[in-house]
């Protein structure tokens, strides 16, 4: 949703899920609850295409010592292996919680058609997770971030892209 000045307010319009969405959301929520019982984080994800579950994922950040092992990213990685492609066009991601910026970006890169989530960034914040803080950080100028983001542009900075554009065997994405 946008504010009166056109900026993203971070709010989404909640709708009552239809029976199909409700079933897959229930599965994602159960994956999340089971992951908590197994010592992991409270996040689960299911990817569906043409009425079939392609893959599921659970948060493995602390278990695998991998800050990118979010439920959604894990499900995207697994689904891409199942279909043999980096594109999940035509698929829907069902997740127990609103995707954080990492997972939202991964969803965009995977070309998912749709994302449906249950809990939101405010629920995640209540649980002690940084989703809300990261969304707020991205809305502030980089000069105000606690982590420095600097550009160091050597003369050959664009060389990898020149090589890419010249490569006959590249796979565009």
């Amino acid at each position: 949703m946008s504010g009166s000045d056109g900026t993203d307010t971070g709010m989404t319009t909640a709708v009552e899920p239809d029976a199909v969405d409700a079933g897959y959301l229930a599965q994602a929520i159960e994956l999340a609850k089971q992951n908590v019982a197994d010592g992991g984080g409270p996040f689960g994800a299911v990817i569906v295409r043409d009425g079939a579950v392609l893959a599921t994922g659970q948060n493995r950040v602390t278990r695998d010592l991998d800050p990118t092992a979010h439920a959604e990213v894990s499900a995207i990685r697994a689904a891409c292996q199942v279909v043999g492609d980096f594109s999940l066009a035509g698929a829907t991601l069902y997740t127990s919680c609103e995707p954080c910026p990492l997972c939202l970006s991964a969803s965009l890169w995977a070309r998912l058609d749709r994302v449906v989530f249950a809990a939101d960034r405010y629920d995640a914040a209540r649980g002690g997770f940084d989703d809300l803080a990261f969304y707020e950080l991205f809305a502030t100028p980089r000069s105000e971030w606690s982590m420095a983001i600097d550009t160091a542009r050597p003369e050959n900075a664009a060389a990898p892209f020149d090589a890419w554009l010249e490569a006959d065997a590249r796979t565009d994405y």
Side-chain angles (χ1 to χ4, degrees):
M1 242 175 146
S2 295
S4 59
D5 62 354
T7 58
D8 179 14
T9 63
M11 302 297 293
T12 56
T13 304
V15 296
E16 189 67 30
D18 65 21
V20 172
D21 287 350
Y24 292 125
L25 282 175
Q27 187 175 350
I29 290 167
E30 281 305 311
L31 285 166
K33 288 171 43 182
Q34 184 59 52
N35 204 44
V36 170
D38 293 341
F43 304 96
V46 178
I47 297 181
V48 177
R49 184 193 282 168
D50 298 326
V53 173
L54 296 178
T56 63
Q58 293 171 300
N59 183 285
R60 303 265 189 223
V61 171
T62 57
R63 187 172 304 152
D64 294 352
L65 305 177
D66 179 354
T68 68
H70 292 203
E72 298 89 341
V73 172
S74 297
I76 288 168
R77 289 173 179 160
C80 287
Q81 293 301 304
V82 167
V83 302
D85 198 346
F86 58 82
S87 174
L88 296 175
T92 298
L93 167 65
Y94 294 92
T95 181
S96 62
C97 188
E98 179 179 8
C100 72
L102 167 74
C103 296
L104 185 59
S105 295
S107 298
L108 291 166
W109 278 111
R111 310 299 194 247
L112 288 161
D113 281 10
R114 185 170 175 236
V115 174
V116 181
F117 62 89
D120 63 21
R121 63 185 77 173
Y122 301 97
D123 295 308
R126 186 174 60 84
F129 294 89
D130 291 332
D131 305 47
L132 177 60
F134 290 156
Y135 272 108
E136 290 172 348
L137 175 68
F138 289 135
T140 63
R142 283 187 183 173
S143 63
E144 297 177 23
W145 291 18
S146 61
M147 177 179 68
I149 307 291
D150 297 320
T151 300
R153 189 168 176 89
E155 218 174 278
N156 65 344
F161 295 100
D162 295 338
W164 168 259
L165 292 169
E166 292 170 9
D168 293 330
R170 74 175 184 259
T171 301
D172 291 325
Y173 63 99

